[in-house]
Amino acid sequence: MNNIQLSAEQIAEFQQNVLAKGKELYREMPWRSDTTPYSILLSEIMLQQTQVPRVMQKYSEFMSAFPTLESLAEADFQEVLAHWSGLGYNRRARFLHQTAQKIVQNGTFPETEEFLRSCPGIGENTAASILVYTFNKPLVFLETNVRTVLIYTFLSDYIGEKIEESVLKDLAKQTLFAENPRQWYWALMDYGTYLKKTEGNFNRMSKMHTVQSRFEGSFRQKRASVLRCLLKNGPLTVSEIAALHNYDVELTGQIVFALQKDSMVAEIEGRIVIQ
């Protein structure tokens, strides 16, 4: 599919509709009333692969424990992980902690996509979203709700096709409301959430759409369980971890190795510790 060129009239109509829907469907969230850099960084990393209601619960708890970027950077990672526990995808806690340390070392919060993309766990879309919400910069990024609105409005007739990211990015660029990008993306997020509930998840037509694997009984669940065990019990041998979980030692070794690769744990004098 080639890129679609919209007329000025189409763009104006789309912007007017999305902004009106955004006003009608607006959702209060703590990181919308507090658009300071740390608040946005934290919320955007928490929102990766996690729905808003779950993030809302953890966000306030996390901010109470680490009220500033500096306090997060200076904290022991085990404490960071303990407060993150229950949100899932624990590598994000490591990435967030490392990113906080890098930014504090830099001296000021970065205002470039290049710097943010050099931080662990922050890709192209997350970097742009952080700058949009923090500094109101007119940048283009895509996520499930943005894709949903664009596909529903301009590409819903292409049933059965997988739509290239480049096509959606071009549409996002053409239609960007540059006068207030922060407001624009809030409107897209809220409208996209509404469309998923009322019209279906048009994001499934995107080539980037993937079906999340089952968590229950997965290797990912076992990794999370081992981390919780180490948080609760302190340093343990691989055999002790295996016994506490009724895993065989070989599987436990594989889990520990995977956690070591992600810099989540280390082995010290034969015991596994949260790094």
Side-chain angles (χ1 to χ4, degrees), residues 198-225:
T198 59
E199 302 292 340
N201 187 3
F202 283 80
N203 184 59
R204 291 193 182 96
M205 292 172 62
S206 164
K207 207 165 188 177
M208 294 297 290
H209 175 70
T210 56
V211 178
Q212 194 174 58
S213 59
R214 181 182 174 86
F215 180 70
E216 196 67 32
S218 67
F219 191 77
R220 185 160 57 91
Q221 184 193 41
K222 292 179 173 65
R223 281 172 48 118
S225 180

Side-chain angles (χ1 to χ4, degrees), residues 85-97:
S85 183
L87 194 59
Y89 296 96
N90 291 306
R91 280 181 296 179
R92 292 180 299 167
R94 168 60 76 189
F95 294 154
L96 176 63
H97 192 225

Side-chain angles (χ1 to χ4, degrees), residues 48-223:
Q48 291 173 345
Q49 299 177 290
T50 305
Q51 294 183 342
V52 169
R54 286 188 65 198
V55 173
M56 292 274 279
Q57 294 172 2
K58 274 290 180 179
Y59 174 89
S60 296
E61 176 194 328
F62 203 90
M63 281 293 256
S64 295
F66 312 106
T68 65
L69 191 67
E70 290 76 14
S71 64
L72 175 60
E74 293 167 3
D76 183 84
F77 177 63
Q78 184 161 330
E79 184 184 1
V80 175
L81 184 61
H83 286 283
W84 186 277
S85 183
L87 194 59
Y89 296 96
N90 291 306
R91 280 181 296 179
R92 292 180 299 167
R94 168 60 76 189
F95 294 154
L96 176 63
H97 192 225
Q98 291 172 333
T99 295
Q101 292 172 333
K102 182 171 181 175
I103 292 173
V104 168
Q105 187 177 18
N106 184 57
T108 58
F109 197 89
E111 293 192 38
T112 66
E113 291 178 271
E114 290 75 16
F115 186 101
L116 286 170
R117 289 178 66 179
S118 73
C119 296
I122 296 182
E124 177 184 352
N125 288 321
T126 301
S129 68
I130 290 169
L131 295 177
V132 166
Y133 293 131
T134 304
F135 302 110
N136 215 14
K137 291 197 173 191
L139 302 173
V140 171
F141 69 87
L142 297 173
E143 61 82 69
T144 58
N145 288 310
V146 176
R147 294 188 189 98
T148 295
V149 175
L150 291 173
I151 293 171
Y152 172 78
T153 306
F154 301 113
L155 302 165
S156 59
D157 291 339
Y158 292 86
I159 301 296
E161 290 194 34
K162 284 293 185 179
I163 299 165
E164 296 282 351
E165 193 80 342
S166 60
V167 173
L168 293 171
K169 192 162 188 177
D170 184 69
L171 283 171
K173 185 176 181 179
Q174 289 184 64
T175 57
L176 176 64
F177 184 68
E179 292 177 35
N180 193 334
R182 183 189 289 133
Q183 179 192 8
W184 175 244
Y185 280 103
W186 286 344
L188 284 171
M189 298 298 168
D190 295 344
Y191 186 28
T193 299
Y194 170 79
L195 286 175
K196 286 178 186 176
K197 292 176 181 176
T198 59
E199 302 292 340
N201 187 3
F202 283 80
N203 184 59
R204 291 193 182 96
M205 292 172 62
S206 164
K207 207 165 188 177
M208 294 297 290
H209 175 70
T210 56
V211 178
Q212 194 174 58
S213 59
R214 181 182 174 86
F215 180 70
E216 196 67 32
S218 67
F219 191 77
R220 185 160 57 91
Q221 184 193 41
K222 292 179 173 65
R223 281 172 48 118

Side-chain angles (χ1 to χ4, degrees), residues 26-36 39-40 59 186:
Y26 183 81
R27 296 174 294 170
E28 284 289 350
M29 299 173 192
W31 49 88
R32 289 185 176 181
S33 55
D34 175 11
T35 57
T36 54
S39 172
I40 298 302
Y59 174 89
W186 286 344

